[in-house]
């Protein structure tokens, strides 16, 4: 699958597993007041929501692989997905710690305007290749959002988090590409075209 096709797939809706899989605890708006997140805190809350979306996506991917619903268990991919899941959990914890330090509520769900399309796309992935391509979309979006944040945030804690998390998301993407036979580093620079906008945050 080409990068352009993957980006179009990502915009239409992301997902990582077969029918019947949901993001569980990571789905749905958090029900927080819109005024809770302004300025830097809005960008930080957005980043936390994206991490929660990735957590749910990897949980679904691992479940689908272990159940053989994508045509095979792919032990190497399961191992990578487990590592990515763990690291996204760390990232979400870091973003939420910054929110709490600013006396803002933590983001515990996925309060994003496009999350419904993500859930719909989850049921459409029927092969390992499709699932991984969509996981790459999740990773790329989180990475590019961090790149944008690193150029905009005044918060030193937020800036440090964005600068340290973005390369890890990029490594996840490169590893996933390698596993499906794609060149792992197709570009010399990180992009920003697929970064999420703070306007997408529903909290």
């Amino acid at each position: 699958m080409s990068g352009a096709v993957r980006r179009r797939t990502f915009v239409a809706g992301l997902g990582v597993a077969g029918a019947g899989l949901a993001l569980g605890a990571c789905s749905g708006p958090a029900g927080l007041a819109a005024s809770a997140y302004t300025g830097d805190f809005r960008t930080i809350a957005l980043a936390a929501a994206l991490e929660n979306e990735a957590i749910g996506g990897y949980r679904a991917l691992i479940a689908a692989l272990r159940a053989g619903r994508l045509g095979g268990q792919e032990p190497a991919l399961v191992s990578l997905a487990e590592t990515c899941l763990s690291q996204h959990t760390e990232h979400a914890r870091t973003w939420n710690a910054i929110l709490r330090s600013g006396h803002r509520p933590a983001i515990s769900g996925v309060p994003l305007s496009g999350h419904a399309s993500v859930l719909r796309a989850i049921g459409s992935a029927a092969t390992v290749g499709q699932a991984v391509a969509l996981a790459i979309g999740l990773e790329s979006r989180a990475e590019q959002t961090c790149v944008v944040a690193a150029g905009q945030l005044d918060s030193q804690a937020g800036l440090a988090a964005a600068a340290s998390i973005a390369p890890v998301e990029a490594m996840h993407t490169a590893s996933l590409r390698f596993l499906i036979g794609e060149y792992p580093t197709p570009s010399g620079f990180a992009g920003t075209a697929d970064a999420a906008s703070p306007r997408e945050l529903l909290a």
Side-chain angles (χ1 to χ4, degrees), residues 173-199:
T173 301
S175 299
L176 289 165
R177 284 191 173 120
F178 180 79
L179 281 181
I180 60 172
E182 292 188 5
Y183 193 74
T185 53
S187 176
F189 297 90
T192 58
D194 291 331
S197 166
R199 291 188 298 273

Side-chain angles (χ1 to χ4, degrees), residues 14 34 49 65 74 76 83 88 135 139 169 171:
L14 302 172
L65 288 168
E74 303 288 341
T83 297
H88 281 295
E139 293 286 5
E169 316 289 41
M171 286 189 285

Side-chain angles (χ1 to χ4, degrees), residues 4 11 14 18 26 35 50 68 79 97 106 138 140 153 166 174 199:
V11 171
L14 302 172
C26 288
S35 61
L50 290 171
S79 178
L138 286 169
S140 295
L153 291 173
R199 291 188 298 273

Side-chain angles (χ1 to χ4, degrees), residues 92-133:
R93 189 179 299 123
T94 295
W95 290 122
N96 277 324
I98 298 171
L99 291 175
R100 290 191 186 97
S101 72
H103 307 290
R104 301 302 198 277
I107 298 293
S108 59
V110 186
L112 298 172
S113 59
H115 189 52
S117 64
V118 173
L119 293 175
R120 286 193 296 270
I122 286 173
S124 69
T127 68
V128 169
Q130 290 173 353
V132 171

Side-chain angles (χ1 to χ4, degrees), residues 44-69:
I44 292 166
L46 174 66
L50 290 171
E51 295 294 348
N52 287 347
E53 191 162 58
I55 290 167
Y58 277 110
R59 284 176 177 162
L61 173 58
I62 292 166
L65 288 168
R66 286 178 172 164
R69 288 196 288 267

